[in-house]
Amino acid sequence: MPSTFSAPKVSAWRMALMNASPDRADELAKRIAKQGPLLQNRLYRTYSEGDQVEALTEQLLAAAVDIGLKRSQELWDLDLSRQSKPDWHQQGAVGYTAYVDHFAGNLRGVVDRIDYLKSLGVTYLHLLPFFKAAEGPNDGGFAVANFEVVEPRLGTQADLQHLTQALRTAGISLCSDFVLNHVAHDHEWAVEARKGNPEFQNFFCMAHSQAEVDAWEKNLPQIFPDTAPGNFTYQPSLKAWVWTTFYPYQWDLNYANPKVFLEVVSAMMRVANMGVEAFRLDSTAFLWKREGTNCQNQPEVHWLLQAMRAVMEIACPGVLLKAEAIMPTHQLPPYFGLGDTPGPECHLAYHSSMMAASWVALAEENVSILQAVMQNTPAVPKGSAWLTYVRCHDDIGWNVLRPEAQALGDVNHQRLLKASHFFAGIAPGSYAQGASFQTTDLLTAHGTNGMASALVGMSTAQTSVDLQLAVDRLILLQSLSYFTGGLPLLYMGDELGMGNTAAEVLESRQGPDGRELHRPDWQEGLAQLRTQEGTVQHRIFSKLQAFAELRKSLPAFQGDVSVQAIESKQPTVLALQRGTELKGFFNFSRQKIDQLGDDGLAITLKPYGFVWLQTCVGTPARTLID
Ligand code: GLC
């Protein structure tokens, strides 16, 4: 922990380079020459005070050089090869996300599932938080008590090293969460702050009077309005209100203090040296607080992310950054560095609007919101990619769709409210068995919980026809995600149509968090069925395998190839063009669509059917899969 924050007299990183082996020293010096000016510029924008910025730049460079010099030969070589091919992660990428404990017991258990993942074509594995979590409730591990120590319940540092190694050998990159916005209330920084240490008190955002709290709250939305209302938690020992955007035990970090940025980025780089190849930057949107705003997506967030990327490009350029910003479509491009201050930022970003809109399309049997989302989705810069998905460990948040719904005349968000009622199974004619999240008030749309299979109607199907339709819906959503995404991400169990967490298991889980509904334990029995023809599991699994194969074989599936909505002539059908060569048609209705004409193409889509076509000039369109 730096005790002072003025620029050191002798540059530590220059000294370190002088004493290093010439090949690493030369390479690191080259990277600093390239990234240094951008790093300093973004820090100036953020912190403005000259001395402070110089000191911070020096310390970040020293930390980056230290990490670069300590990087294992294998990771160093990987960095070099990836530097010469920045789109290394793009061709045929398929992601999978899972909780370590529910999926495989512990980190060692994950090693035993590598062959399974390979059979799905997985190249990228996001394991939900596996570093030490708060004692007691911890938001599924998102209340992090130590950024670098493995959660003892899940394994040891050696287990983690072993896992990253085994995954790398299998061609799979491990992605770890890095929770940027907050730490657990029992993280040592919070403990020190509570003890009265002013240095650490300045690590957190705090308000010192109820009036101050009220002034901020006026503009702040609530993430968990039912279970954790408000954005502040009074701490008697501090005689202050700590900013807690999420749960009261998750304390928001104060990025206006440059030491926080230094400490967080340094910890991230140390984790990279454990073999982690990608970071999911959790709750990125919330890092900067500004009076009079909703404190989301502030320009400083992007300057800091660009500074972070620059530091990572020096220390470990083979590591990917992924933005978790669950925000409306128009707020997402800046996370790729496409904002007012352009520059390399994240390699990947969740497309949460597309995900939520595909569920609305299913409920309404109408694609207008989804189409609007696609129209609002720009191409990403070279070397980056949209992360598409059907479900994840969180609820489906409906409010990201407000701008598109409103532009289509849905002033009071009735369409979103109806979709949320539909998936909670409380709308007439609904086949879904999900549950509303954070909505005791039936007149607000917030989120919906439930495994994909329960939301598409697999659990309520009475007849084989019902079941068939439900499975078709699930495959339709996945086909859209695999067609559109640079990195389609599967959520654990969806490849098998795994259902909601069993009621008795739910009861035994800690805390009232409704998202536990879609966090079931692994069912090996279902996994076994995937190889038996005629089973639902075989149908879903083999389709996903076929999607993955196609993605690998065609350059048009490269992550940065643009995807655009094209005219479909049917309100229930989404039509997309990927690059110049591929077209995809997705029928969100239970009606068969005959003769969908597009440029002379005559397409028939079965209920909830889809087709991917290869359309090269001068040759008839070829069906790749349907
Ligand atoms: C992210 C996570 C979510 C968590 C929140 C707070 O949104 O995906 O599960 O509750 O951050 O860390």
Side-chain angles (χ1 to χ4, degrees):
M1 181 71 42
S3 52
T4 58
F5 220 63
S6 54
K9 300 227 162 29
V10 185
S11 161
W13 62 268
R14 285 200 171 84
M15 293 281 287
L17 288 185
M18 276 193 282
N19 294 324
S21 69
D23 63 326
R24 291 218 179 184
D26 285 355
E27 176 60 27
L28 287 166
K30 255 195 268 164
R31 293 181 195 163
I32 290 176
K34 186 165 175 209
Q35 304 293 338
L38 185 128
L39 170 64
Q40 201 159 34
N41 175 287
R42 298 305 184 259
L43 296 176
Y44 267 116
R45 281 173 185 271
T46 312
Y47 296 113
S48 57
E49 283 166 47
D51 282 2
Q52 192 160 266
V53 170
E54 262 172 48
L56 178 60
T57 311
E58 276 296 313
Q59 303 210 33
L60 283 166
L61 290 178
V65 164
D66 183 48
I67 293 295
L69 293 177
K70 287 186 180 144
R71 217 142 156 72
S72 71
Q73 195 58 42
E74 191 191 0
L75 294 175
W76 177 264
D77 291 343
L78 202 65
D79 288 339
L80 292 182
S81 74
R82 290 177 176 179
Q83 254 180 318
S84 61
K85 196 178 177 313
D87 57 0
W88 64 270
H89 59 100
Q90 298 225 322
Q91 184 65 56
V94 173
Y96 191 91
T97 177
Y99 283 96
V100 173
D101 51 357
H102 302 322
F103 179 49
N106 54 30
L107 291 173
R108 284 182 172 269
V110 178
V111 176
D112 299 333
R113 297 227 187 275
I114 290 179
D115 285 344
Y116 176 87
L117 295 171
K118 272 178 74 175
S119 76
L120 274 169
V122 169
T123 59
Y124 174 104
L125 175 64
H126 164 222
L127 292 176
L128 284 144
F130 51 80
F131 286 105
K132 199 166 180 330
E135 297 286 337
N138 55 41
D139 189 15
F142 282 99
V144 179
N146 191 310
F147 285 127
E148 296 165 62
V149 172
V150 170
E151 165 63 40
R153 222 169 36 84
L154 303 176
T156 61
Q157 305 302 115
D159 293 340
L160 176 60
Q161 297 269 4
H162 177 59
L163 173 63
T164 59
Q165 186 70 50
L167 286 169
R168 201 157 32 251
T169 307
I172 301 175
S173 298
L174 179 65
C175 169
S176 164
D177 276 282
F178 206 98
V179 183
L180 294 181
N181 181 64
H182 45 264
V183 293
H185 63 154
D186 54 359
H187 185 287
E188 65 167 334
W189 300 341
V191 173
E192 282 298 315
R194 267 198 306 269
K195 278 192 203 154
N197 184 334
E199 184 175 357
F200 289 97
Q201 287 175 352
N202 196 25
F203 268 47
F204 296 99
C205 297
M206 293 187 207
H208 293 90
S209 68
Q210 185 63 53
E212 206 186 323
V213 169
D214 296 343
W216 285 109
E217 287 285 11
K218 256 201 317 227
N219 298 304
L220 296 176
Q222 303 195 31
I223 308 292
F224 301 137
D226 285 352
T227 51
N231 289 275
F232 291 84
T233 304
Y234 186 68
Q235 278 296 319
S237 56
L238 294 169
K239 296 198 174 55
W241 286 257
V242 177
W243 199 308
T244 53
T245 300
F246 295 88
Y247 283 111
Y249 51 79
Q250 290 165 306
W251 290 22
D252 284 31
L253 289 166
N254 173 21
Y255 280 87
N257 174 358
K259 279 189 195 175
V260 168
F261 185 67
L262 174 66
E263 290 303 320
V264 165
V265 177
S266 302
M268 188 186 294
M269 290 191 289
R270 288 191 291 271
V271 176
N273 270 7
M274 297 176 196
V276 166
E277 294 184 31
F279 289 104
R280 175 183 180 277
L281 304 177
D282 182 75
S283 5
T284 37
F286 300 89
L287 306 188
W288 198 267
K289 326 292 190 198
R290 169 169 283 114
E291 273 171 57
T293 72
N294 66 359
C295 300
Q296 296 177 7
N297 310 303
Q298 296 299 306
E300 286 81 356
V301 168
H302 297 290
W303 301 337
L304 286 175
L305 288 178
Q306 291 183 13
M308 180 183 288
R309 168 82 179 258
V311 177
M312 301 293 278
E313 290 288 345
I314 295 168
C316 46
V319 171
L320 299 174
L321 298 180
K322 171 172 71 171
E324 193 255 349
I326 307 305
M327 293 289 144
T329 321
H330 67 275
Q331 299 281 10
L332 297 176
Y335 288 90
F336 288 116
L338 292 173
D340 294 339
T341 312
E345 205 165 310
C346 296
H347 304 82
L348 297 161
Y350 283 80
H351 204 325
S352 47
S353 308
M354 197 188 116
M355 181 275 295
S358 64
W359 286 103
V360 175
L362 209 53
E364 294 186 334
E365 302 193 24
N366 179 302
V367 298
S368 61
I369 293 184
L370 179 56
Q371 197 166 28
V373 165
M374 294 311 299
Q375 277 158 353
N376 293 343
T377 300
V380 295
K382 193 117 207 69
S384 32
W386 287 110
L387 184 153
T388 52
Y389 58 121
V390 173
R391 287 293 291 115
C392 72
H393 70 289
D394 282 328
D395 56 304
I396 303 169
W398 302 112
N399 289 329
V400 291
L401 297 177
R402 282 185 176 202
E404 278 88 6
Q406 204 157 342
L408 289 166
D410 184 27
V411 184
N412 295 318
H413 320 301
Q414 286 307 302
R415 289 176 72 178
L416 304 181
L417 187 61
K418 276 194 192 147
S420 94
H421 290 175
F422 185 88
F423 289 110
I426 55 176
S430 168
Y431 45 70
Q433 227 170 23
S436 293
F437 182 52
Q438 303 292 329
T439 37
T440 35
D441 168 9
L442 270 181
L443 295 176
T444 41
H446 191 93
T448 293
N449 292 319
M451 288 293 281
S453 83
L455 301 179
V456 296
M458 280 173 63
S459 47
T460 53
Q462 300 290 323
T463 65
S464 61
V465 175
D466 290 349
L467 185 60
Q468 167 95 6
L469 283 175
V471 173
D472 286 342
R473 290 181 197 112
L474 187 57
I475 293 176
L476 170 71
L477 293 179
Q478 295 291 5
S479 79
L480 177 66
S481 165
Y482 274 67
F483 182 85
T484 316
L487 176 65
L489 184 81
L490 280 174
Y491 180 55
M492 182 201 115
D494 283 349
E495 73 280 15
L496 302 168
M498 208 175 270
N500 286 342
T501 312
E504 63 277 11
V505 176
L506 267 184
E507 264 170 42
S508 68
R509 299 260 175 98
Q510 215 168 26
D513 198 311
R515 293 171 297 175
E516 293 294 330
L517 186 64
H518 49 258
R519 297 171 181 175
D521 289 324
W522 185 252
Q523 291 166 28
E524 187 53 29
L526 288 187
Q528 296 302 329
L529 292 175
R530 75 191 187 279
T531 51
Q532 275 181 39
E533 276 194 41
T535 61
V536 162
Q537 287 65 35
H538 179 261
R539 251 196 90 200
I540 304 171
F541 202 91
S542 53
K543 223 25 164 205
L544 295 173
Q545 285 177 314
F547 293 154
E549 278 302 312
L550 279 169
R551 288 181 56 85
K552 223 188 293 167
S553 67
L554 294 171
F557 281 111
Q558 182 86 5
D560 47 21
V561 170
S562 75
V563 180
Q564 281 169 340
I566 53 175
E567 203 193 337
S568 86
K569 301 196 174 78
Q570 290 282 348
T572 62
V573 176
L574 180 72
L576 297 177
Q577 169 92 41
R578 183 171 185 114
T580 51
E581 223 188 296
L582 301 184
K583 284 195 165 83
F585 296 89
F586 307 87
N587 175 16
F588 280 80
S589 83
R590 63 189 84 201
Q591 307 300 328
K592 182 172 158 220
I593 303 290
D594 274 318
Q595 298 290 322
L596 183 77
D598 171 82
D599 297 345
L601 289 175
I603 301 159
T604 298
L605 294 170
K606 62 177 191 164
Y608 302 113
F610 70 95
V611 61
W612 297 4
L613 297 174
Q614 195 170 25
T615 52
C616 297
V617 187
T619 48
R622 185 165 78 94
T623 298
L624 295 171
I625 193 164
D626 58 7

